[in-house]
Amino acid sequence: MNPQPAKFSDSQLKEIFSHNFPSEKLFSKADCVRRAVYGDDVYIRGLIEFTNHCKNNCYYCGIRAQNSKLSRYRLCTKQILDACKNAYIAGCRTFVLQGGEDPYFTDEILSEIIKQIKAEFSDCTVTLSIGERSLDSYQKLFNAGAQRFLLRHETRNPVHYAKLHPADQTIENRVKCLFNLKKTGYQTGSGFMVGSPGWSYDTLIEDIKFLRELDPDMIGIGPFIHHDQTPFAGEPDGDLNLTLKLISILRLEFPHALIPSTTALGVIAPDGIIQGLKSGANVIMPNFTPKENHNNYSLYNGKENSATENSTYLNELSQKIKKAGYRIVTGCGDVKR
């Protein structure tokens, strides 16, 4: 079965977003579509947060350059390779190298790291999540062996984007980068925050319309969670149920997409990751950042309690996933177009 993509109208989306809409039917329909394409498989990605240095000052992010209270770190190549080994032993065949926009990690340094990972783990996929770079930079990293790239657009609405970022960051450049990634040949992922300051139903609809235009291979969304050392310290967090509804909408609109049940869901609800899977997600990203660094990759409040790098956690999560009717599988887990 190859499900046809849904395409909700603006009025249908607003009806689904409303508190009165019956969520369970939507979740069930999305789950049927994900099972038609991916069965009960749940792909695991080994997340390695290799640097918390960042040149940017996004107003929502705990690793922003102006957060002087944060202890900064960079992993060396050996630490990255050791983290990959731990992830490999746990069953991951995709490694996600995530970091702030750190000028230290030039194309040459990153290319060498990617080449060493590919040499040691030839059956694995390297995914990058390192922000905005030039087309030439993306090409060099692709040539070195990176195959996927995650770059969430966060919000497509220019006014909303300007509320979340300083003036030197623009949605126009973010969109340009996303299309450059696709042009280069990466399996490309985008996505957005749910409930970030200044959001509305209309901005969420713009996000969905932009994703239709981009047609990404991966779509990552999660609730906004405030961080105490940012300008948004006092802002309310995003809503769990609305986030789950959006996961279902995205599954129905993009049946082929790889959609993670994110760590942020697990922070705002004890069973949030399982709820995300039941709503249409099919990827989880256990964290293999070294324990001594994990708490310092502090994007939002509560993340320090989400350490998932040990085998005990994965075994427990695997049992919960099995009980929910899914199974963790070992493999690169490429998109099924």
Side-chain angles (χ1 to χ4, degrees):
M1 178 181 176
N2 187 21
Q4 292 301 306
K7 189 173 182 180
F8 296 100
S9 67
D10 292 5
S11 60
Q12 286 175 319
L13 289 171
K14 288 185 177 180
E15 180 184 358
I16 294 171
F17 294 158
S18 71
H19 292 293
N20 297 326
F21 186 84
S23 303
E24 291 305 320
K25 187 175 180 180
L26 177 71
F27 299 158
S28 177
K29 187 173 182 181
D31 185 55
C32 287
V33 169
R34 71 91 75 191
R35 288 179 184 274
V37 181
Y38 289 100
D40 58 2
D41 292 353
V42 175
Y43 300 126
I44 54 174
R45 317 304 201 193
L47 179 62
I48 302 164
E49 297 155 334
F50 68 99
T51 175
N52 71 346
H53 289 259
C54 190
K55 66 182 183 182
N56 295 329
N57 273 300
C58 305
Y59 300 140
Y60 52 84
C61 184
I63 68 169
R64 62 199 306 266
Q66 290 181 5
N67 183 1
S68 60
K69 296 181 180 180
L70 185 64
S71 178
R72 303 286 177 172
Y73 72 89
R74 294 183 178 105
L75 300 187
C76 67
T77 301
K78 182 181 184 304
Q79 288 175 302
I80 293 172
L81 290 171
D82 286 346
C84 290
K85 182 178 180 179
N86 291 335
Y88 190 91
I89 292 170
C92 299
R93 296 297 180 267
T94 291
F95 309 131
V96 181
L97 302 188
Q98 179 175 294
E101 293 193 19
D102 183 353
Y104 170 83
F105 283 99
T106 62
D107 295 337
E108 290 70 28
I109 291 173
L110 276 174
S111 292
E112 185 57 33
I113 291 170
I114 293 165
K115 288 175 183 177
Q116 289 195 42
I117 293 173
K118 295 294 289 184
E120 190 164 337
F121 306 97
S122 59
D123 58 334
C124 294
T125 296
V126 174
T127 300
L128 301 177
S129 180
I130 52 174
E132 297 179 4
R133 299 173 82 97
S134 68
L135 175 60
D136 181 62
S137 174
Y138 289 147
Q139 186 67 61
K140 287 178 180 176
L141 300 178
F142 183 82
N143 293 345
Q147 295 131 294
R148 301 185 187 133
F149 203 109
L150 308 176
L151 181 64
R152 298 204 308 187
H153 66 275
E154 303 298 8
T155 175
R156 183 60 184 88
N157 181 274
V159 175
H160 187 201
Y161 197 90
K163 289 182 178 180
L164 304 179
H165 304 87
D168 61 343
Q169 296 172 253
T170 67
I171 186 58
E172 289 77 18
N173 192 60
R174 182 62 58 102
V175 169
K176 178 183 177 181
C177 286
L178 281 163
F179 281 101
N180 280 343
L181 287 165
K182 292 201 73 173
K183 184 189 302 182
T184 303
Y186 288 96
Q187 291 182 41
T188 303
S190 191
F192 52 90
M193 284 186 292
V194 180
S196 57
W199 79 281
S200 67
Y201 288 164
D202 287 330
T203 61
L204 292 178
I205 290 170
E206 285 187 64
D207 289 325
I208 293 170
K209 288 181 175 178
F210 170 66
L211 291 173
R212 290 173 187 163
E213 178 187 357
L214 181 66
D215 190 24
D217 301 296
M218 302 163 284
I219 305 173
I221 69 168
F224 163 78
I225 302 176
H226 72 280
H227 190 289
D228 289 339
Q229 293 160 12
T230 69
F232 291 155
E235 295 289 341
D237 295 337
D239 180 73
L240 172 65
N241 195 50
L242 180 57
T243 305
L244 296 174
K245 286 179 181 179
L246 281 158
I247 289 174
S248 292
I249 289 167
L250 293 169
R251 172 57 65 203
L252 294 170
E253 291 228 2
F254 304 91
H256 66 274
L258 296 162
I259 301 177
S261 189
T262 62
T263 302
L265 283 173
V267 170
I268 63 173
D271 63 341
I273 290 176
I274 300 298
Q275 289 192 59
L277 295 175
K278 288 183 175 181
S279 302
N282 65 326
V283 174
I284 59 171
M285 298 174 68
N287 198 317
F288 290 88
T289 305
K291 290 181 180 180
E292 61 269 25
N293 304 115
H294 178 274
N295 288 356
N296 288 320
Y297 201 83
S298 178
L299 302 179
Y300 46 76
N301 280 6
K303 185 178 178 294
E304 65 273 12
N305 299 318
S306 65
T308 60
E309 69 276 2
N310 60 73
S311 57
T312 301
Y313 168 86
L314 277 176
N315 289 335
E316 291 174 354
L317 182 59
S318 179
Q319 291 304 311
K320 291 177 182 178
I321 287 172
K322 185 177 180 181
K323 188 176 180 180
Y326 310 99
R327 65 190 183 105
I328 290 179
V329 297
T330 297
C332 292
D334 286 319
V335 65
K336 294 184 178 180
R337 286 279 189 176

